[in-house]
Amino acid sequence: MIKYPNGGPSIKTDRSNKNKTSNRTNLGMNLEKDVEISSKYFIDHNQAIFYKKPTPIHVYKVSHDNSHQITEAYYDKKSTTDYNGLYREKYIDFECKETKTKTLPIDRLSKHQVEHLYRVKRLGGIAFFLVRFNTLDETYIFDIDHVIDFIKLNDKQSFSYNDIKTKGYLVTKSYSPRLELLKGLDEAYFSDEDKQEEDY
Amino acid sequence: MIKYPNGGPSIKTDRSNKNKTSNRTNLGMNLEKDVEISSKYFIDHNQAIFYKKPTPIHVYKVSHDNSHQITEAYYDKKSTTDYNGLYREKYIDFECKETKTKTLPIDRLSKHQVEHLYRVKRLGGIAFFLVRFNTLDETYIFDIDHVIDFIKLNDKQSFSYNDIKTKGYLVTKSYSPRLELLKGLDEAYFSDEDKQEEDY
């Protein structure tokens, strides 16, 4: 059984049917699959680019016969966020998190990821966790600033569904794109701009 | 021996020392090393973020004893560009190219990379090739639009040094950061903005 340090492999071939038996491997996989399929739609329609960052892998040995063949390597635990990209001229960076309960434990958000997203936000990018409540099949854009405020102001160990629903933005599902991520981003980050444009 | 100004590289890539026997692997490595060291400086000074995208690796087998150990994998040839990031609120995407001669053959720029950078530019990002002439030790920001214009208007097989020098922007070297990439970007993409700000 394959266990990955960050809840799931990031390389397409890892997500083969072979892994379907492993619950651990599939943690976070449904959301990521939806994001990937939606990203393809957005690229094909020239609307946005979102990239899955591959999990960094340390290569130790390559084959003598074929320099493309790696014979010993290790997953690096210290990866940053899942995705970055470009939408409406802005740099976007986010991390997918799924939960089967109605809470999201803070320790599911690594310090490394929180710091990275905070840095992105400070430099003028858009940075958030994309949180899915599996049992409700609801997905939210939850801005890094809310995460940081929450950690500063609370001594709770988890975000509740209400915390995220109240401060976050619902990303609706549809047939194509599967996740209406751009509509969610419009609402979360561009609604003032859109309003101004309408006023003209 | 490589000396790092800030105690070491942050993320080790697959291009580890073990690969030094392969010429193919080291192609373009001096420039990339400079970009990596400079990127660390920019992050430490909260000026910009540039990420090396790891070369995608397809994992085929993992060890039974240690699930983090990969025993068979292959480099994916179809990677996109080397770096993306965030500077002055803009999404930045670029690919490093080094040449030992005074020309850069067009076939060194893969169709896949050119298309990707073109898409980035159309979506409002900043997209370029970072070209180094090794013998001159000169590095240029060469915008994707110039690349595309050149390919459309010429039947030449290579960019000359003059083509790139004329249309590109020189990125000077210094001690720290090793590559003055931000100054180069300021000149190439933000000089109008800076001028307007000065006028106030």
Side-chain angles (χ1 to χ4, degrees):
Chain A
M1 189 153 87
I2 303 160
K3 286 180 185 174
Y4 296 92
N6 292 307
S10 59
I11 296 160
K12 273 182 189 170
T13 49
D14 291 335
R15 297 176 180 177
S16 63
N17 291 332
K18 285 173 200 162
N19 288 336
K20 276 196 174 160
T21 48
S22 160
N23 284 332
R24 177 93 176 73
T25 306
N26 284 330
L27 242 181
M29 288 303 293
N30 295 323
L31 177 55
E32 288 200 12
K33 184 56 79 184
D34 284 358
V35 170
E36 261 188 64
I37 292 171
S38 307
S39 296
K40 185 158 180 358
Y41 176 94
F42 300 139
I43 282 190
D44 289 345
H45 291 75
N46 293 316
Q47 294 176 310
I49 301 175
F50 298 110
Y51 268 92
K52 176 92 181 91
K53 299 182 202 160
T55 306
I57 292 175
H58 286 206
V59 174
Y60 285 85
K61 282 184 195 161
V62 273
S63 162
H64 286 291
D65 305 323
N66 175 1
S67 63
H68 289 287
Q69 188 185 343
I70 297 152
T71 53
E72 190 182 346
Y74 295 87
Y75 288 108
D76 188 355
K77 287 173 193 170
K78 202 182 167 190
S79 67
T80 60
T81 43
D82 288 332
Y83 287 89
N84 68 5
L86 168 62
Y87 176 55
R88 292 182 71 161
E89 308 197 3
K90 297 291 269 183
Y91 176 94
I92 316 276
D93 208 310
F94 63 100
E95 170 73 19
C96 296
K97 293 290 173 197
E98 285 189 84
T99 173
K100 288 176 181 168
T101 65
K102 283 189 84 173
T103 60
L104 180 68
I106 288 174
D107 63 12
R108 288 278 308 281
L109 320 182
S110 83
K111 186 167 174 282
H112 195 64
Q113 288 165 351
V114 169
E115 284 172 355
H116 170 73
L117 290 173
Y118 178 77
R119 185 179 286 129
V120 167
K121 185 83 184 244
R122 293 292 85 73
L123 284 170
I126 287 174
F128 58 92
F129 284 92
L130 190 65
V131 183
R132 174 169 291 175
F133 293 94
N134 279 317
T135 49
L136 303 164
D137 198 19
E138 290 182 11
T139 307
Y140 291 89
I141 290 169
F142 193 52
D143 191 87
I144 184 63
D145 283 350
H146 295 313
V147 172
I148 287 166
D149 286 349
F150 186 91
I151 294 171
K152 276 187 192 159
L153 300 172
N154 283 282
D155 52 4
K156 290 194 283 180
Q157 297 303 303
S158 292
F159 300 98
S160 70
Y161 168 68
N162 258 336
D163 293 329
I164 289 172
K165 187 185 167 77
T166 310
K167 299 281 189 182
Y169 289 86
L170 183 68
V171 179
T172 55
K173 286 183 118 178
S174 77
Y175 177 69
S176 192
R178 199 181 283 194
L179 262 186
E180 292 282 11
L181 189 54
L182 304 188
K183 285 186 186 169
L185 288 170
D186 286 344
E187 203 192 337
Y189 297 104
F190 298 97
S191 59
D192 287 350
E193 252 172 68
D194 290 341
K195 208 172 166 303
Q196 277 171 15
E197 276 167 25
E198 278 165 22
D199 289 347
Y200 273 95
Chain B
M1 188 153 91
I2 301 158
K3 287 181 186 170
Y4 297 94
N6 292 306
S10 52
I11 298 168
K12 284 181 190 169
T13 63
D14 41 82
R15 292 163 183 191
S16 68
N17 289 336
K18 300 271 161 66
N19 287 336
K20 273 195 173 162
T21 46
S22 160
N23 284 332
R24 176 119 177 60
T25 308
N26 283 330
L27 246 177
M29 286 306 292
N30 295 324
L31 177 55
E32 288 200 11
K33 185 56 80 183
D34 284 357
V35 170
E36 261 186 65
I37 292 170
S38 307
S39 296
K40 181 147 183 10
Y41 176 93
F42 300 138
I43 282 190
D44 290 344
H45 291 75
N46 293 315
Q47 294 177 312
I49 302 176
F50 297 111
Y51 269 93
K52 175 96 179 88
K53 299 183 201 160
T55 307
I57 291 175
H58 286 205
V59 174
Y60 284 85
K61 281 185 197 160
V62 237
S63 163
H64 287 290
D65 306 323
N66 174 358
S67 60
H68 290 166
Q69 187 186 342
I70 297 154
T71 54
E72 190 183 347
Y74 294 87
Y75 288 110
D76 187 355
K77 287 171 194 170
K78 203 183 168 188
S79 65
T80 60
T81 43
D82 288 332
Y83 288 88
N84 68 5
L86 169 61
Y87 176 55
R88 293 181 74 161
E89 309 196 1
K90 297 290 269 184
Y91 176 94
I92 316 277
D93 208 311
F94 63 99
E95 170 75 16
C96 295
K97 293 290 172 196
E98 286 189 83
T99 173
K100 289 176 182 168
T101 65
K102 283 189 82 173
T103 61
L104 179 69
I106 288 173
D107 62 14
R108 288 277 308 281
L109 320 182
S110 83
K111 187 167 173 282
H112 195 62
Q113 287 163 352
V114 170
E115 284 172 355
H116 170 73
L117 290 173
Y118 179 76
R119 186 178 286 128
V120 167
K121 185 83 185 242
R122 293 293 82 73
L123 284 169
I126 287 174
F128 57 92
F129 285 92
L130 189 65
V131 183
R132 174 170 291 177
F133 294 93
N134 279 316
T135 47
L136 303 164
D137 197 19
E138 290 181 12
T139 307
Y140 291 89
I141 290 170
F142 193 53
D143 191 87
I144 184 64
D145 283 351
H146 295 314
V147 172
I148 288 167
D149 285 351
F150 185 91
I151 295 172
K152 277 186 191 159
L153 301 173
N154 283 281
D155 52 3
K156 290 194 283 181
Q157 297 303 304
S158 292
F159 300 98
S160 71
Y161 168 68
N162 258 336
D163 294 328
I164 289 172
K165 189 185 166 78
T166 311
K167 299 280 189 184
Y169 289 87
L170 183 67
V171 179
T172 55
K173 285 183 121 178
S174 77
Y175 178 68
S176 193
R178 198 181 284 196
L179 262 186
E180 293 282 10
L181 190 52
L182 304 188
K183 285 186 186 169
L185 288 171
D186 286 344
E187 202 191 340
Y189 297 103
F190 298 96
S191 59
D192 287 351
E193 255 172 66
D194 290 340
K195 208 173 167 303
Q196 276 171 17
E197 277 167 25
E198 279 165 24
D199 289 347
Y200 274 94

